[in-house]
Amino acid sequence: MSPPNPHVNAQLRQLIYYNLDCNLLRNALFLAGRLHAYEPRSSEAACLLALCHLRLGQLKAAYDASRSSGSRGTHLGCTYVFAQACLGLERYGDGITALERNKSVWMARNSWNKHTETKRQHLPDAAAVYCLQGKLWQAHNDTNKAIECYAESLKLNPFMWDAFLGLCDLGVNVRVPNIFKMTPEMMNGVTGSFNEETPLGILDESPPSVSSGLFNNQPPQANDPFSISKNRINGESRVNLGSSALFEKLNGSTSLATPIGNTGGLDFNDLETPTVPGVVAATTMWQNPSTTAAETTAVEPPIAAPKKMRTLQGLGMDFSMDAPKMKSSTFKSRIRTETDDSDVTTVHGTSTSFSGIMDRKRTISGQVAPSKPTSSAAQMISDVQDPGAPQRRSVRLFNQIRPQSSKFSSSTGSIGSKEGRELRKAKATGTKGRTAHGSTVGRVVSGNRKHGDSSEMDGKDIRPNTSIYSSSTLPITHPKPAVNDKVKEYESLQWLLDLFTKLGSGYFALSHYQCQDALQIFNSITPSQKETPWVLAQIGRALFEQASYADAEKYFARIKMIAPSRLDDMELYSTVLWHLKSEIDLAFLAHEIIDIDRQSPQAWCAIGNSFSLQRDHDQALKCFKRATQLDPKFAYAFTLQGHEHIANEEYDKALAAYRSSIAAESRHYNAWYGLGRVFEKQGKHDVAEQHYRTAASINPTNAVLVCCIGVVLEKMKNPKAALLQYTRSCDLAPKSALSRFKKARVLMALQEPHMALAELKVLKDIAPDEANVHFLLGRVYKILRQKANAIKHFTTALNLDPKASHYIKEAMEQMEEEDDEDGLMTQ
């Protein structure tokens, strides 16, 4: 069998990535199957096939496709896809083992600042792998190792938000400002000193970009279908050229290469370059950053006179301007190596003129042809350039990038206005012209032009000039860094880190149930960021935890207006409406969510809450069970299921549901509270107290949990300890009617009527229409011998709750009997 053709391999990979980027997953899967059949032993082909299966949600197929290379850790891409499939299939041990075996490959990788609109890294870096490994350890119930992986991920990349959420959900105490700060890689990337060479010498696929070259000079990546790159085929290093030929045919140009500055220490002159008609040799692509795509349109024999150019930065190129478009001609042209000595070049706002104009020959268009620079000038020119850069074989420079000088700015407009015009032929005066494969363009540098004089330029022959050299002198200018761009990049990074710090601080406070702090932080965010579904959902959740259901409902309703199809946190919204007894709104919400996605657990939770509000607990249970079937890790659905079992007095089933919720999420305090309720109803007060305290340790700011501890202690005949819990509950929630009522009742049992009266007066303002409050006030006034006030509150309680008239009248009769006894004793 003949060895695989690298050109076919490159074209298939190009098509696969194209379809993946366009989200045409079925097309990508079909093409990945062709690539895998063409190279059945290739790990990269297996990786692409597994990746397509993974994005289609076919976890078992992705697991099988990547198992051969992924489980052994021989290919990073296969290992990463394999671990993701293991996470979805709950085979956590296999995924962890595979990542550990491949650790020497990914541990030193860092892809920071390597992803732009025109380039990307298809293989994950250490931060991404650590985050995935943390998820696997967390699902494997090894909290300590999960925390270590999440922490390492955030050290490498503070924008790894998923790792931060994992730490918060595990209840780890972190200092948020110390997480979201500049890393050394970020600082080096801003200053332009960060070496972006991949640690293993593997060049990932990414189309090179001119704009990205300002701060990171990176070689072309291996799997990019539109750039010449190094490819590994059967253990042999080759140069991939086939895809460039296709791109030339599609776009009418001979190359798409862009300036590449750093070759990563590789000597590309020693590479074997297969000769393909119409394809540029690899060595012409690895040139100085000043080389543009047009410079590689003609391949010249090695005997051509070399010429070195200065870098783009030194010539002050403006990368934000569009390049003038010119129609390339098909005739053979001669190559000029001479430049005009009388032209003026502006370098970062400094213009320099040169003398020594000699006699010139004229071209066909009547322009003065430039002369050859002398050997001394050529030597000075070579000194300007970096001594480590390869020599030039072409002088077609800056045909796609407009300089910043006023001369070129004025001439660019005339070039753009004559777009599509075929360039004029020009004869060379010195050396014989060389021809090359593909279309080439003869270039003539216009002479005898003053700096800034644009009125005398001939629009037909105007070309962006290079530096002008004199036969005697050549001032050396040092390139200035793009300070403004670097400052802007630094400021943008700092702004993002500040935003992440605020969002992270708010989420951290909320995950530790410091709801008031979380509300203050989220409200301090700029309005544009605050009015987003995620931030509004966190504010609504904080209000929900504070039992401010009316305020929480406003924020959740705002979310439905901004993002009508959002499903996250809608189960909390349905519970808020359940507490507010809004049957119509709750039913409408349930219908809305079920229309959006019938397979979402949030939809079935909303429907279950609607049935629960209608006292149809059996139907509610069916809905909650359906939610847990759709997502076995959805802890809140198990908790709601347990509440319904308690309503049906099915305590054993309730215990099973709450335990399933804790298994899905150990810090779900609602499930611990549910277990305490079940044991309390079964009369196991000591066990109930233990579970209530566990729930309170997770959420120490919840007044209801603290109050439940007090209730259990009161039933265990420990009123003083219960009073401490009630007092703490009132401090946490001053407007909590239940906590204050129980506190007043314990004070009466402890023979503290005056303190009880003070609490009841506050409680009367909180709940003026509560019959039990007025009945207890009547009893306190009865103890204090204030008969008029006692009768007043007893009567009010009787009017508010006629069903309790028997107890109220009995208390009033006892008060009259005590008065009669007191009267007899005084006689």
Side-chain angles (χ1 to χ4, degrees):
M1 181 179 177
S2 60
N5 188 344
H7 301 265
V8 175
N9 182 299
Q11 295 299 335
L12 283 173
R13 284 187 284 113
Q14 167 208 340
L15 293 170
I16 292 170
Y17 283 120
Y18 167 79
N19 285 280
L20 287 174
D21 291 341
C22 296
N23 202 31
L24 300 174
L25 301 180
R26 290 291 177 184
N27 290 349
L29 179 61
F30 176 78
L31 291 165
R34 302 315 99 215
L35 178 62
H36 189 261
Y38 189 72
E39 288 188 325
R41 297 183 180 180
S42 172
S43 297
E44 185 179 359
C47 174
L48 289 174
L49 181 62
L51 179 62
C52 294
H53 282 301
L54 183 68
R55 293 196 181 183
L56 282 168
Q58 302 171 358
L59 298 179
K60 189 62 172 64
Y63 177 89
D64 293 335
S66 59
R67 180 172 53 184
S68 177
S69 299
S71 60
R72 292 183 286 111
T74 57
H75 187 271
L76 177 56
C78 283
T79 303
Y80 192 72
V81 174
F82 179 76
Q84 286 181 312
C86 290
L87 180 62
L89 295 173
E90 299 183 3
R91 301 181 180 180
Y92 310 122
D94 294 344
I96 293 170
T97 303
L99 292 177
E100 286 294 332
R101 289 176 178 174
N102 197 254
K103 191 170 185 179
S104 60
V105 178
W106 55 261
M107 190 174 182
R109 291 181 60 87
N110 194 311
S111 299
W112 172 254
N113 208 21
K114 294 184 180 179
H115 291 76
T116 65
E117 294 180 356
T118 56
K119 71 173 186 177
R120 61 179 178 173
Q121 300 284 318
H122 292 293
L123 296 180
D125 62 352
V129 179
Y130 271 125
C131 184
L132 177 58
Q133 198 172 22
K135 292 180 181 179
L136 288 167
W137 281 119
Q138 183 178 359
H140 199 56
N141 294 325
D142 195 330
T143 304
N144 293 330
K145 290 186 178 179
I147 293 172
E148 291 177 3
C149 291
Y150 286 144
E152 290 296 329
S153 179
L154 286 169
K155 286 180 183 178
L156 296 172
N157 186 355
F159 295 107
M160 196 62 67
W161 183 252
D162 215 6
F164 177 76
L165 295 184
L167 289 176
C168 292
D169 294 339
L170 288 173
V172 181
N173 290 321
V174 296
R175 295 181 180 179
V176 179
N178 290 343
I179 293 178
F180 300 107
K181 62 181 181 181
M182 287 279 190
T183 62
E185 289 78 10
M186 292 182 183
M187 295 300 298
N188 292 334
V190 172
T191 57
S193 61
F194 179 56
N195 182 14
E196 299 205 9
E197 180 182 355
T198 53
L200 300 177
I202 300 175
L203 303 178
D204 296 335
E205 57 275 23
S206 63
S209 171
V210 174
S211 60
S212 62
L214 291 174
F215 303 111
N216 56 323
N217 297 328
Q218 181 183 352
Q221 307 301 319
N223 296 331
D224 178 22
F226 299 135
S227 68
I228 294 179
S229 57
K230 192 175 180 181
N231 186 21
R232 302 285 304 183
I233 301 175
N234 296 332
E236 181 183 358
S237 297
R238 299 186 181 182
V239 176
N240 180 9
L241 299 173
S243 57
S244 295
L246 174 63
F247 193 84
E248 293 164 11
K249 295 178 181 179
L250 295 178
N251 292 274
S253 62
T254 55
S255 177
L256 191 66
T258 53
I260 303 298
N262 184 11
T263 62
L266 299 176
D267 187 6
F268 290 90
N269 294 325
D270 297 334
L271 294 178
E272 296 180 2
T273 305
T275 58
V276 180
V279 180
V280 185
T283 53
T284 58
M285 308 297 280
W286 293 87
Q287 294 179 353
N288 209 25
S290 61
T291 308
T292 61
E295 292 186 59
T296 60
T297 56
V299 181
E300 303 180 10
I303 61 174
K307 179 178 180 179
K308 297 188 177 182
M309 295 297 178
R310 284 181 288 181
T311 61
L312 293 178
Q313 229 177 11
L315 293 175
M317 293 293 94
D318 185 4
F319 292 94
S320 64
M321 307 302 292
D322 294 331
K325 300 179 180 179
M326 293 178 290
K327 181 178 179 181
S328 59
S329 57
T330 57
F331 59 84
K332 296 182 179 180
S333 63
R334 297 174 180 267
I335 308 302
R336 284 199 174 274
T337 59
E338 301 86 13
T339 56
D340 191 357
D341 293 342
S342 62
D343 280 347
V344 181
T345 301
T346 302
V347 180
H348 292 293
T350 303
S351 60
T352 307
S353 60
F354 298 94
S355 59
I357 301 175
M358 303 186 327
D359 293 336
R360 307 283 197 275
K361 293 184 180 180
R362 294 190 175 270
T363 64
I364 297 175
S365 61
Q367 303 296 331
V368 178
S371 62
K372 285 187 177 182
T374 61
S375 59
S376 61
Q379 179 64 30
M380 296 182 72
I381 294 169
S382 63
D383 293 338
V384 177
Q385 190 180 357
D386 184 7
Q391 291 185 347
R392 291 288 176 273
R393 298 192 181 100
S394 174
V395 297
R396 291 173 298 280
L397 187 62
F398 310 140
N399 64 326
Q400 291 182 351
I401 302 176
R402 182 167 57 187
Q404 292 179 350
S405 65
S406 59
K407 176 178 178 179
F408 296 146
S409 299
S410 60
S411 64
T412 306
S414 62
I415 295 176
S417 63
K418 296 175 177 56
E419 180 180 354
R421 177 174 298 179
E422 189 168 338
L423 299 181
R424 189 183 301 270
K425 292 184 179 180
K427 264 191 169 183
T429 58
T431 61
K432 294 183 178 180
R434 310 287 184 189
T435 59
H437 298 289
S439 60
T440 57
V441 180
R443 302 296 298 271
V444 177
V445 180
S446 302
N448 298 331
R449 293 288 181 267
K450 300 296 184 180
H451 178 68
D453 185 9
S454 60
S455 61
E456 299 178 2
M457 292 184 179
D458 188 357
K460 297 181 179 180
D461 296 319
I462 291 176
R463 300 292 183 271
N465 289 350
T466 60
S467 300
I468 309 305
Y469 310 109
S470 172
S471 58
S472 58
T473 59
L474 179 65
I476 299 177
T477 58
H478 299 282
K480 295 182 180 179
V483 179
N484 292 335
D485 292 340
K486 292 178 181 178
V487 169
K488 290 180 181 179
E489 184 177 355
Y490 176 82
E491 291 176 351
S492 63
L493 279 176
Q494 194 60 51
W495 184 88
L496 282 174
L497 289 171
D498 292 341
L499 176 62
F500 270 59
T501 300
K502 289 184 178 180
L503 294 174
S505 299
Y507 188 85
F508 173 78
L510 185 56
S511 65
H512 286 72
Y513 299 98
Q514 301 169 1
C515 300
Q516 195 59 37
D517 295 340
L519 288 174
Q520 293 178 358
I521 295 171
F522 284 128
N523 287 324
S524 66
I525 298 176
T526 58
S528 61
Q529 293 293 328
K530 180 182 176 182
E531 290 297 318
T532 54
W534 188 86
V535 176
L536 293 175
Q538 304 313 308
I539 296 176
R541 181 184 163 197
L543 294 171
F544 170 78
E545 295 294 347
Q546 288 183 332
S548 302
Y549 301 120
D551 295 334
E553 191 273 337
K554 295 178 182 178
Y555 282 94
F556 284 117
R558 177 67 177 161
I559 294 174
K560 290 297 293 181
M561 292 178 60
I562 297 175
S565 59
R566 179 182 173 88
L567 294 175
D568 294 338
D569 304 303
M570 288 299 104
E571 72 279 2
L572 293 181
Y573 187 20
S574 65
T575 304
V576 167
L577 296 176
W578 185 92
H579 282 289
L580 295 175
K581 310 301 179 184
S582 301
E583 292 187 15
I584 298 176
D585 293 338
L586 180 55
F588 182 73
L589 175 66
H591 281 288
E592 274 190 324
I593 302 177
I594 204 69
D595 289 340
I596 295 172
D597 187 5
R598 292 182 64 87
Q599 302 299 319
S600 64
Q602 295 88 350
W604 292 100
C605 285
I607 298 174
N609 276 330
S610 181
F611 281 119
S612 176
L613 189 57
Q614 299 171 15
R615 306 285 182 180
D616 192 347
H617 302 297
D618 293 333
Q619 290 295 329
L621 277 171
K622 292 179 180 179
C623 295
F624 295 141
K625 288 180 180 179
R626 177 59 178 161
T628 56
Q629 290 173 355
L630 293 170
D631 187 0
K633 297 296 183 180
F634 200 69
Y636 192 62
F638 285 110
T639 301
L640 295 176
Q641 187 177 333
H643 294 342
E644 297 304 314
H645 282 304
I646 290 180
N648 286 338
E649 298 183 354
E650 299 171 347
Y651 299 128
D652 292 337
K653 293 182 179 179
L655 287 175
Y658 289 132
R659 285 166 179 162
S660 298
S661 178
I662 293 173
E665 184 181 345
S666 60
R667 294 188 72 249
H668 192 61
Y669 76 92
N670 308 75
W672 291 102
Y673 162 75
L675 289 173
R677 281 188 64 195
V678 173
F679 289 121
E680 182 184 353
K681 288 182 176 294
Q682 291 178 344
K684 302 177 182 179
H685 301 302
D686 53 342
V687 182
E689 179 193 359
Q690 180 181 355
H691 285 84
Y692 282 144
R693 289 188 181 277
T694 302
S697 65
I698 298 172
N699 186 358
T701 61
N702 192 300
V704 176
L705 296 176
V706 179
C707 183
C708 289
I709 297 174
V711 171
V712 174
L713 291 173
E714 188 177 358
K715 290 181 179 179
M716 294 171 66
K717 309 299 182 182
N718 192 353
K720 292 184 178 180
L723 179 61
L724 293 175
Q725 298 298 325
Y726 292 144
T727 303
R728 181 168 169 241
S729 179
C730 291
D731 294 338
L732 292 173
K735 295 183 179 181
S736 175
L738 179 63
S739 300
R740 203 168 291 277
F741 178 79
K742 292 185 177 296
K743 180 181 179 181
R745 193 171 62 180
V746 170
L747 287 172
M748 290 181 62
L750 293 174
Q751 303 299 322
E752 297 288 347
H754 293 284
M755 297 177 63
L757 180 61
E759 296 293 336
L760 288 171
K761 286 182 178 180
V762 177
L763 182 60
K764 183 184 68 173
D765 297 332
I766 297 174
D769 297 331
E770 183 61 41
N772 289 327
V773 175
H774 291 280
F775 179 73
L776 201 59
L777 274 170
R779 288 182 58 188
V780 171
Y781 281 122
K782 175 184 172 183
I783 295 174
L784 295 175
R785 305 291 179 145
Q786 298 181 15
K787 181 178 179 181
N789 289 328
I791 293 176
K792 173 185 175 182
H793 286 286
F794 279 141
T795 305
T796 304
L798 184 62
N799 294 331
L800 291 173
D801 189 7
K803 295 180 180 180
S805 59
H806 175 70
Y807 301 100
I808 298 173
K809 289 180 179 179
E810 184 179 354
M812 294 175 69
E813 290 174 357
Q814 290 177 356
M815 184 178 60
E816 293 177 357
E817 291 176 359
E818 291 176 359
D819 290 342
D820 293 340
E821 291 177 359
D822 292 340
L824 292 173
M825 293 175 63
T826 55
Q827 289 180 356

